[in-house]
Amino acid sequence: MSNIGFIGLGNMGGPMAANLVKAGEHVHGFDVVAAARDASAKDGVQIVANARATVENADIVVTMLPAGEHVLSVWNDIAPHARQGTLFIDCSTIDVASARQAHKIGAANGIATLDAPVSGGVGGAKAATLTFMVGGSTHAFERGKPALERMGKRIVHCGEAGNGQVAKICNNMILGASMIAVSEAFVLGERLGLSHQAMFDVVAASSGQCWSLTSYCPVPGPVPASPANNGYKAGFTAALMLKDLKLAKAAADSVKADTAIGAHAARIYERAAEEGLSAEDFSAIVKLVRNRSDAR
Ligand code: NAD
């Protein structure tokens, strides 16, 4: 049994911390929001007074926070109070520059560090089936892997500091763009008289096949488990997709990578936000494509 500190007990962090408890770990948790603390207390997390208190006697400290600024602020606060050799793992999705800065905060305080963003959403967090994309030294990776395995199914070492975040934004840049492309194809097909099922049957077995079509189809019917069949209840919100596309754009600008489609996908998700789709699943982008087609 390890002592694990956990900071950020929200939609993702709450169930992740609960899975650590279920696996027999001793978890000290903190969140700035009382409702999150109360929910985690019911799951067996021992709630402490503040973020610093989570690091006392901790072998590992996990953060699951909204953005880079929160991670840097929390790590700067807690790192000087952690035991030498403690392992900090940030599982938030944050910008690559902040992730690399966080590793530097750890190094300056004698702390081992990993960036380990996830895919799999709230469902994966609850079911402990997340994929972790991990950046950091091989030694830190080997130390952190058993704890990550308690919260996820696939743990992939992507290389040095920050590379977990790089893998995450590359994946989500493809995902955002492919969801728009699949949605455009459905709307084009429907306007030309092609049924959703016929398009699905052909494309799912053809070269246009992709996860956005066959696992997460943006129109109701062909894939019963997709959010389209459940009023586009997220899942993974359009707001989070926009966040990740903006992170990808910022990273691309920082290294002068030409990601024209990724940048355009960010603009389309920005429009979705303007039209009130932020809280819906990101596959609701098909509604924007349809509305804008109707308006032409
Ligand atoms: P959330 O807003 O539900 O949870 C974040 C939690 O952090 C909140 O409870 C908030 O109160 C807490 N917090 C903020 N600042 C804090 C501080 N200084 N100290 C302690 N607690 C603090 O968000 P979420 O959906 O759980 O997402 C967390 C991270 O995971 C984000 O970076 C997000 O991009 C990423 N992510 C989310 C999903 C998803 O489907 N929700 C999927 C993959 C990745």
Side-chain angles (χ1 to χ4, degrees):
M1 175 167 123
S2 315
N3 278 322
I4 301 182
F6 206 113
I7 303 168
L9 302 166
N11 291 323
M12 295 291 289
M16 289 165 70
N19 282 326
L20 290 171
V21 172
K22 270 188 216 151
E25 310 289 12
H26 191 210
V27 183
H28 289 88
F30 179 70
D31 194 290
V32 286
V33 171
R37 295 196 297 270
D38 293 346
S40 283
K42 288 197 184 100
D43 290 332
V45 173
Q46 192 176 329
I47 300 298
V48 293
N50 51 45
R52 278 187 201 175
T54 65
V55 309
E56 271 172 35
N57 299 319
D59 306 302
I60 294 174
V61 178
V62 180
T63 46
M64 191 52 165
L65 298 165
E69 71 216 62
H70 307 98
V71 174
L72 292 179
S73 149
V74 167
W75 280 37
N76 270 319
D77 177 34
I78 64 176
H81 302 275
R83 290 189 303 197
Q84 292 283 302
T86 306
L87 173 65
F88 280 14
I89 308 177
D90 179 47
C91 295
S92 328
T93 303
I94 67 173
D95 60 289
V96 176
S98 294
R100 292 188 167 146
Q101 181 59 28
H103 281 269
K104 285 187 185 149
I105 294 170
N109 288 279
I111 287 159
T113 50
L114 294 171
D115 54 288
V118 303
S119 69
V122 176
K126 287 183 179 159
T129 55
L130 294 168
T131 294
F132 286 88
M133 295 150 264
V134 189
S137 71
T138 303
H139 183 245
F141 177 74
E142 292 306 332
R143 273 185 65 194
K145 199 174 172 203
L148 298 178
E149 280 170 341
R150 305 219 184 272
M151 300 182 281
K153 204 166 63 175
R154 285 193 73 220
I155 322 294
V156 184
H157 191 204
C158 301
E160 288 302 314
N163 281 12
Q165 298 293 349
V166 176
K168 166 83 186 175
I169 55 170
C170 287
N171 179 71
N172 279 18
M173 188 175 76
I174 295 169
L175 177 61
S178 70
M179 185 54 79
I180 295 167
V182 168
S183 296
E184 288 183 353
F186 273 115
V187 171
L188 174 61
E190 72 197 20
R191 291 175 90 83
L192 292 168
L194 181 67
S195 77
H196 291 162
Q197 191 62 51
M199 182 182 117
F200 179 88
D201 290 344
V202 171
V203 180
S206 304
S207 47
Q209 186 275 334
C210 63
W211 187 91
S212 292
L213 178 80
T214 51
S215 294
Y216 217 81
C217 187
V219 295
V223 178
S226 78
N229 300 285
N230 189 21
Y232 296 94
K233 188 167 174 285
F236 184 65
T237 61
L240 281 172
M241 176 52 81
L242 175 57
K243 172 193 168 183
D244 291 359
L245 288 168
K246 283 181 171 171
L247 291 177
K249 169 84 170 58
D253 288 346
S254 76
V255 291
K256 296 190 167 57
D258 183 11
T259 55
I261 299 291
H264 195 63
R267 284 198 291 280
I268 290 174
Y269 273 96
E270 244 157 24
R271 272 187 228 136
E274 286 157 17
E275 296 198 12
L277 293 171
S278 293
E280 297 198 25
D281 188 78
F282 79 104
S283 59
I285 202 71
V286 69
K287 292 188 193 175
L288 181 83
V289 176
R290 199 175 283 124
N291 290 346
R292 290 178 65 83
S293 302
D294 289 344
R296 287 187 77 172

